Amino acid sequence: MTYEFIQTEVLGEGPLKTGVIRLHRPKQLNALCDGLMDDLGHALHAFDTDDGIGCIVLTGSEKAFAAGADIAAMVDYTYMQVFMSGYISRNWEAMASVQKPVIGAVAGFALGGGCEVAMMCDMLIAADNAKFGQPEIKIGMIPGAGGTQRLPRTVGKALAMDLALTGRMIGAEEALRAGLVSRVVAPEQLMPEALAMAEQINGMSQSVARLMKQCVNEAFESPLASGLRLERRVFHSLFGTHDQHEGMVAFLEKRKPEFKHR
Ligand code: CAA
């Protein structure tokens, strides 16, 4: 499948591969137009339903992961146009239904909608030139794809308010300290690091990886008590699987487990 605004490839050494999606609208710093979001949703679904793929890596260019929603496209929208057509709602939320782990590999600008799409990933690795921010206030707007909700849940209210109200950007090291990203590497190490992380996850039980992802994401969605209930239910249910028994036996026998993903 070829796309207009993204590039995809399948990489990896093991039996399960990694699906790589690269946002590719270079002249506009990967500004997120409708066509790009349609392409992204399609590619996410295609990799998610491909049995040969374990993890998905989402990245941009060295200069920009994405500089936000497409301001040129939005400038003349009216309230009724965006409301009636479900702007954002109609094609920005594909990531929420992806079962496989999605690793965001961010270099350069991740601003506005770009920061929001990055935060939709399950985890983020940043190149040391990455810059994150919600600068919508500078163009008389607020974030529209989760920025006011995911950012405070991720970095806390103080920093989220600071970024959203001043529109300032933070670099990769500050993003690491704030818990927005889990690793910072040199730009040339970004994809090798993301692919190595994906390869490691591809070697695990895929059924466990997906349930793990659901449980961790639940921490963002629900009060502690119901999140704990879900975790306990999944924990108990895994005692009915091949991979739990194989994983524990392999540990005791000091050998590598042979997971069957069931
Ligand atoms: N939409 C459309 N075009 C964009 C864009 C965007 N979000 N960001 C950059 N571009 C375009 C620029 O217009 C420019 O195009 P031309 O060459 O045709 O003039 C090209 O990309 C390169 O950009 P700059 O010349 O500005 O590059 P720079 O290196 O000087 O600055 C930047 C980079 C700081 C990222 C700057 O481009 C910028 O501030 N971009 C806008 C960031 C922003 O406000 N994002 C939020 C958008 S609103 C949103 O995302 C809403 C939401 O929550 C869903």
Side-chain angles (χ1 to χ4, degrees):
M1 176 85 193
T2 52
Y3 296 97
E4 189 176 353
F5 299 109
I6 63 171
Q7 297 169 335
T8 60
E9 61 185 324
V10 172
L11 297 173
E13 306 297 325
L16 279 176
K17 310 288 184 213
T18 300
V20 177
I21 303 174
R22 186 178 288 278
L23 307 179
H24 186 65
R25 203 183 168 216
K27 284 194 187 132
Q28 292 83 9
L29 302 181
N30 294 332
L32 304 166
C33 62
D34 246 358
L36 190 154
M37 296 313 291
D38 285 342
D39 283 357
L40 177 59
H42 188 282
L44 285 169
H45 180 71
F47 281 145
D48 202 35
T49 51
D50 180 339
D51 288 342
I53 299 289
C55 275
I56 299 169
V57 171
L58 176 63
T59 193
S61 69
E62 256 190 47
K63 183 150 191 224
F65 178 77
D70 188 340
I71 300 170
M74 288 187 293
V75 61
D76 289 324
Y77 281 167
T78 66
Y79 172 48
M80 272 305 140
Q81 259 176 324
V82 292
F83 174 67
M84 294 301 279
S85 67
Y87 178 52
I88 304 291
S89 315
R90 70 174 175 259
N91 58 358
W92 281 59
E93 284 164 0
M95 194 92 83
S97 56
V98 174
Q99 280 198 307
K100 295 173 185 173
V102 181
I103 301 166
V106 177
F109 298 111
L111 301 177
C115 188
E116 293 170 303
V117 169
M119 287 190 290
M120 291 175 195
C121 297
D122 296 311
M123 63 217 131
L124 292 177
I125 302 176
D128 59 21
N129 72 342
K131 288 190 167 57
F132 298 87
Q134 297 291 161
E136 287 88 346
I137 195 161
K138 292 185 178 172
I139 56 166
M141 253 300 178
I142 70 162
T148 65
Q149 303 304 301
R150 287 197 180 95
L151 194 60
R153 280 173 165 80
T154 307
V155 304
K157 179 178 167 180
L159 186 57
M161 281 289 189
D162 177 342
L163 297 187
L165 289 174
T166 67
R168 84 172 169 96
M169 297 184 234
I170 56 170
E173 286 299 333
E174 193 173 351
L176 180 68
R177 284 198 301 278
L180 182 56
V181 308
S182 67
R183 305 181 190 185
V184 176
V185 295
E188 63 278 10
Q189 280 308 310
L190 182 64
M191 282 310 285
E193 185 81 8
L195 291 168
M197 185 193 247
E199 194 88 350
Q200 218 179 342
I201 298 168
N202 289 345
M204 307 293 179
S205 165
Q206 295 303 295
S207 44
V208 175
R210 289 180 204 184
L211 286 164
M212 186 81 78
K213 165 177 166 156
Q214 275 184 23
C215 286
V216 175
N217 279 336
E218 194 62 21
F220 278 83
E221 307 284 347
S222 61
L224 181 61
S226 52
L228 289 172
R229 256 194 313 276
L230 172 73
E231 184 194 77
R232 196 65 38 82
R233 191 157 306 129
V234 171
F235 177 76
H236 285 165
S237 72
L238 286 172
F239 286 91
T241 65
H242 166 276
D243 288 350
Q244 168 273 328
H245 192 251
E246 166 62 11
M248 292 187 184
V249 169
F251 173 81
L252 295 172
E253 292 178 353
K254 301 188 191 307
R255 62 172 173 82
K256 203 167 175 287
E258 285 178 37
F259 291 128
K260 296 196 166 151
H261 316 301
R262 58 181 170 77

